């Protein structure tokens, strides 16, 4: 302390010395003293404040320490009380062992009570579930199976908790629920059977496949729950995990393998085209299956299954195995061509994996090859001769197959635009295209020879095709009820002709030197393929119209009769019938749809006028003639309206045909006989093929033609012959009238 004081005094002396170094600074001593006094007072004040603050903190701390000491003493007293109570309750805790056992027993009894209904009704529930499986109600059956398994698993789990080493009781419970395990196996068999048939059943009843997937998903969740519980408790129910999802893909893989293997129905000994048929069936099956999977099956699976990609890979792997197996056999030359064509072209073509309906899920650019380059080259080295397959026999088989389709009890397939068709054009030109593609890879000379052969046989084939279509029509006319879909298949025949024409043009355009090939002498005298196809198509359209008019025959008989004059609805029925038929005819491709519409229009007008020329009715006066003429005009308007509707989009003027009927009506309703000659003359000028017998029948229908009037009409016809123009289409030419002329009437 003294050292501090001395140091303070020394420091003060130094400061005073510093301030009073000059004499003039002595005058400011008092000022310095007051300033220092103020500083001293300020420091003392701050010091007092700091000391006071420290004292207050110390006082507060002491108070808190005192309170803490009191709290510690209270805690000590409480702990002493707790210790005393715990020592007194040791005996009570030991007595609670019985309560614990009772709780475990109560838990078991609660589980038993909760599942009591299922426990006592196991046989009945199993029987009900089996019946539900037989009826195909799998979800309900699986719900009962889940309830039974839950009851069994809960009982076994409670027994395991109570005494995990008591295997006797565990086996007793498991034995009691033996039928539940059998039911699970039966359910599994039914599920795998449906999975095997999924590509077929999903078309008719996709709900079944959805039910199967829902059941598998349920089982997967139960498997996961049981496995999680096993990690915690060590208990796993019998039969778990079932792993039905993994089993699903195993079954699908085996199904795909069986599907590909089953497509080979013949051997070389039984059928020389066995490989072509096998590959075609394989293509058809694979394409059909993938289309079904893409359009129908994918919707039945959860997205995380990625089912289409999985199935596509399964089919690809199955095809690789099958192609390698075929390539390892001793194949003949044409079989090598067929196999390589299928592997290198068909597999990636629009007829299979490149089918537009498979895009974009299937990208042919990313597909792995079915054959390695070495194996493909090895097969090509075996190819020593030219294509020797019997195209004539193959075309005959294709035609026979198509003929069988004509008699099917179901409509033919329709293309993407809704036009009826059969597979015949696709099959024929797919075969031609495949052979030509492979031949072009070998040499241009072989390519031209194959092209010539294909076109020659195509022309001969179309002649047989035309004859078979005619026989098909003749057989139908013997019993118009059979085949059931005669109309639809005849439409398909007409459409096939257009498809054939397009395909032939495609061959002409794609392969070179076509004109040179077609100029050879042995082909020059034969009708062209296009002309033959047009003939077949026009015959088919005529056969279709024959079918229409066979149905209209009864109502045509009612025209121009007293019943018709009295208000018969024959024309209404005729129009409705024609329109109904044309609902089917709308599935005919252009240009034949236009041709059949024009021909139907012409035939309706001709048949209607024919009924007028048959003199079924003779009007009995002016009012009746007027009424009959107005009825004829009304009928013509109905026909005009109908065929304008049917011809919409064709750009064809059909008024001239329908104008013929009102023109005849004008002759009928004419009230001034002196103008009859002028009206008839106008009619003859407009329709040059309107002959004498037609006028005879028309005037006989009027019922008031005098001898002079008839004589005048004859003179008009004889003295003013008309000559049709270059664009005139005859209407009355095909309408025959009974052998009675005006010259005979006027005698």
């Amino acid at each position: 302390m003294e050292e501090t004081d001395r140091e303070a005094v020394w420091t003060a002396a130094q400061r005073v010395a510093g301030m009073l170094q000059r004499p003039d600074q002595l005058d400011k001593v008092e000022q310095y003293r007051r300033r220092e006094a103020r500083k001293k007072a300020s420091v003392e004040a701050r010091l007092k404040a700091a000391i006071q603050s420290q004292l207050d903190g110390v006082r507060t701390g002491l108070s808190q320490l005192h309170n803490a000491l009191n709290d510690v003493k209270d805690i000590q007293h409480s702990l002493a009380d707790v210790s005393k109570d715990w020592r007194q309750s040791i005996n009570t805790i030991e007595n609670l062992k019985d309560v614990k056992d009772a709780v475990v027993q109560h838990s078991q009894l609660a589980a038993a009570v909760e599942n009591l209904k299922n426990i006592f009704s196991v046989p009945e529930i199993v029987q009900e579930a089996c019946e539900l499986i037989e009826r195909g109600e799998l979800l309900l059956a699986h719900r009962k199976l889940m309830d039974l398994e839950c009851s069994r698993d809960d009982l076994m789990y409670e027994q395991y908790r109570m005494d995990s080493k008591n295997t006797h009781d565990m086996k007793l419970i498991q034995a009691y629920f033996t039928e539940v395990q059998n039911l699970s196996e039966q359910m599994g068999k039914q599920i795998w059977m449906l999975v095997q048939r999924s590509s077929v059943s999903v078309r008719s009843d996709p709900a079944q496949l959805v039910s199967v997937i829902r059941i598998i998903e349920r089982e997967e969740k139960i498997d996961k729950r049981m496995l999680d519980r096993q990690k915690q408790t060590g208990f796993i129910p019998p039969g778990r995990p079932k792993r039905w999802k993994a089993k699903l893909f195993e079954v699908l893989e085996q199904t795909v393998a069986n599907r590909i293997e089953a497509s080979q129905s013949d051997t070389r000994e039984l059928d020389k085209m066995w490989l072509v048929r096998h590959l075609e069936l394989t293509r058809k099956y694979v394409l059909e299956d993938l289309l079904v999977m893409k359009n129908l099956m994918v919707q039945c699976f959860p997205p995380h299954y990625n089912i289409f990609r999985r199935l596509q890979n399964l089919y690809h792997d199955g095809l690789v195995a099958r192609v390698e197996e075929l390539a390892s056999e001793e194949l003949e030359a044409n079989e090598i061509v067929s196999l390589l064509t299928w592997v290198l072209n068909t597999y990636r073509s629009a007829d299979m994996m490149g089918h537009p309906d498979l895009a974009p899920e299937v990208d042919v650019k990313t597909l792995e090859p079915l054959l390695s380059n070495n194996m493909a080259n090895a097969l090509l080295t075996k190819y020593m001769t030219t294509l020797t397959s019997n195209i004539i026999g193959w075309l005959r088989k294709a035609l026979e197959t198509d003929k069988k389709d004509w008699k099917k009890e179901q409509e033919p397939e329709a293309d993407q635009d809704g036009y009826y068709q059969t597979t015949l054009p696709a099959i024929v030109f797919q075969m031609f295209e495949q052979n030509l593609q492979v031949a072009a890879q070998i040499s241009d000379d072989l390519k031209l020879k194959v092209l010539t052969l294909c076109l020659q046989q195509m022309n001969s084939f179309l002649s047989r095709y035309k004859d078979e279509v005619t026989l098909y029509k003749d057989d139908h006319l013997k019993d118009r009820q059979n085949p059931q879909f005669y109309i639809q298949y005849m439409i398909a025949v007409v459409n096939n002709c257009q498809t054939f024409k397009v395909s032939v043009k495609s061959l002409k355009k794609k392969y070179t030197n076509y004109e040179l090939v077609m100029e050879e002498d042995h082909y020059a005298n034969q009708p062209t393929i296009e002309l033959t196809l047009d003939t077949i198509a026009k015959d088919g359209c005529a056969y279709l119209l024959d079918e229409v008019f066979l149905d209209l025959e009864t109502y045509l008989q009612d025209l121009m009769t007293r019943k018709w004059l009295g208000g018969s609805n024959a024309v209404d029925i005729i129009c409705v019938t024609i329109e109904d038929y044309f609902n089917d005819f709308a599935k005919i491709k252009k240009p034949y749809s236009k041709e059949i519409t024009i021909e139907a229009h012409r035939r309706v007008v001709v048949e209607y006028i024919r009924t007028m020329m048959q003199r079924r009715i003779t009007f009995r006066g002016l009012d009746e003639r007027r009424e009959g003429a107005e009825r004829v005009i009304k009928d013509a308007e109905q026909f005009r309206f109908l065929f304008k509707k049917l011809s919409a989009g064709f750009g064809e003027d059909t008024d001239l045909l329908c104008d013929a009927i009102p023109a005849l009506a004008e002759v009928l309703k004419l009230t001034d006989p002196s103008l009859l000659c002028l009206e008839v003359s106008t009619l003859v000028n407009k329709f040059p093929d309107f002959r004498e017998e037609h006028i005879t029948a028309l005037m006989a229908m009027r019922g008031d033609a005098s001898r002079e009037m008839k004589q005048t009409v004859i003179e008009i016809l004889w003295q003013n012959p008309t000559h049709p123009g270059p664009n005139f289409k005859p209407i009355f030419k095909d309408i025959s009238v009974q052998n009675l002329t005006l010259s005979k009437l006027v005698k």
Side-chain angles (χ1 to χ4, degrees), residues 265-418:
S265 57
D266 295 321
T267 62
R268 184 183 295 111
E269 291 73 18
L270 298 175
D271 185 1
K272 291 184 178 180
M273 301 297 292
W274 69 276
L275 184 57
V276 173
R277 293 175 62 85
H278 172 42
L279 295 175
E280 174 60 19
L281 286 175
T282 301
R283 180 202 67 80
K284 181 179 178 182
Y285 289 165
V286 172
L287 178 58
E288 286 180 354
D289 290 351
L290 290 177
L291 287 174
V292 168
M293 292 164 190
K294 178 178 181 292
N295 297 324
L296 299 176
M297 192 177 293
V298 168
Q299 303 171 13
C300 301
F301 285 79
H304 66 268
Y305 274 59
N306 197 13
I307 189 63
F308 185 77
R309 178 62 61 187
R310 284 174 175 260
L311 289 171
Q312 181 192 342
N313 292 336
L314 290 178
Y315 272 97
H316 180 80
D317 294 342
L319 289 173
V320 167
R322 184 57 182 155
V323 167
E324 290 180 352
E325 181 181 352
L326 291 171
S328 63
E329 298 181 8
E330 291 297 326
L331 297 177
E332 296 178 357
N334 61 321
E335 294 171 348
I336 294 175
V337 170
S338 300
L339 181 60
L340 286 175
T341 301
W342 195 89
V343 169
L344 300 176
N345 300 305
T346 303
Y347 181 65
R348 297 172 180 268
S349 72
D351 294 324
M352 198 171 176
M353 304 305 291
H355 195 281
D357 291 341
L358 292 177
E361 283 77 2
V362 177
D363 185 1
V364 294
K365 296 179 181 178
T366 62
L367 291 177
E368 295 293 330
L370 295 179
L371 272 180
S372 64
N373 291 334
N374 292 337
M375 189 169 290
N377 292 333
L379 285 175
L380 284 173
T381 58
K382 295 180 182 179
Y383 186 69
M384 300 299 293
T385 60
T386 59
L387 187 65
T388 57
S389 59
N390 190 346
I391 296 180
I392 296 176
W394 180 84
L395 287 174
R396 183 176 292 111
K397 290 181 181 179
L399 180 56
E400 290 300 321
T401 301
D402 207 50
K403 285 169 55 181
K404 291 179 181 178
D405 291 343
W406 296 349
K407 298 180 181 179
K408 283 184 176 179
E409 296 182 357
Q410 62 184 28
E411 289 187 352
E413 296 179 357
D415 63 12
Q416 63 271 19
D417 296 321

Side-chain angles (χ1 to χ4, degrees), residues 678-688 690 720-723 728:
L678 179 60
E679 192 68 38
V680 171
S681 177
T682 302
L683 181 63
V684 172
N685 287 330
K686 191 172 183 180
F687 302 99
F690 192 79
N720 300 303
T722 58
H723 302 283
F728 175 72

Side-chain angles (χ1 to χ4, degrees), residues 4-72:
T4 302
D5 291 340
R6 284 195 300 271
E7 184 177 354
V9 171
W10 185 81
T11 301
Q14 291 296 321
R15 287 190 64 189
V16 171
M19 288 187 295
L20 300 176
Q21 291 180 357
R22 297 189 306 273
D24 60 328
Q25 291 178 333
L26 293 175
D27 295 335
K28 298 180 181 180
V29 170
E30 185 63 26
Q31 182 180 353
Y32 291 152
R33 188 185 63 79
R34 287 195 302 269
R35 187 176 64 183
E36 291 301 322
R38 286 195 300 271
K39 287 184 180 180
K40 179 182 178 183
S42 175
V43 170
E44 288 177 350
R46 289 200 302 271
L47 182 60
K48 288 179 181 180
I51 292 172
Q52 185 63 40
S53 175
Q54 290 293 327
L55 290 174
D56 291 341
V58 170
R59 189 181 296 111
T60 302
L62 290 174
S63 176
Q64 290 176 347
L65 287 173
H66 179 72
N67 292 336
L69 180 60
N70 293 333
D71 291 341
V72 169

Side-chain angles (χ1 to χ4, degrees), residues 63 156 240 282 357 363 425 434 453 481 661:
S63 176
M156 295 184 72
R240 292 287 176 186
T282 301
D357 291 341
D363 185 1
Q434 289 177 355
L453 178 62
Q481 300 302 318
I661 299 176

Side-chain angles (χ1 to χ4, degrees), residues 689-747:
D689 60 333
F690 192 79
R691 301 187 299 274
E692 181 179 338
E693 58 267 28
H694 299 135
I695 299 177
T696 302
L698 191 61
M699 297 186 69
M701 189 176 180
R702 276 184 60 91
D704 66 341
S706 63
R707 181 181 296 272
E708 293 77 10
M709 186 186 305
K710 297 173 183 177
Q711 183 63 41
T712 303
V713 170
I714 293 173
E715 292 175 357
I716 291 174
L717 288 175
W718 290 349
Q719 295 176 7
N720 300 303
T722 58
H723 302 283
N727 298 324
F728 175 72
K729 297 179 181 180
I731 300 174
F732 295 90
K733 179 180 179 181
D734 298 330
I735 302 175
S736 60
V737 185
Q738 295 180 5
N739 190 18
L740 184 64
T741 63
L742 282 174
S743 58
K744 293 182 180 180
L745 287 174
V746 299
K747 291 181 180 178

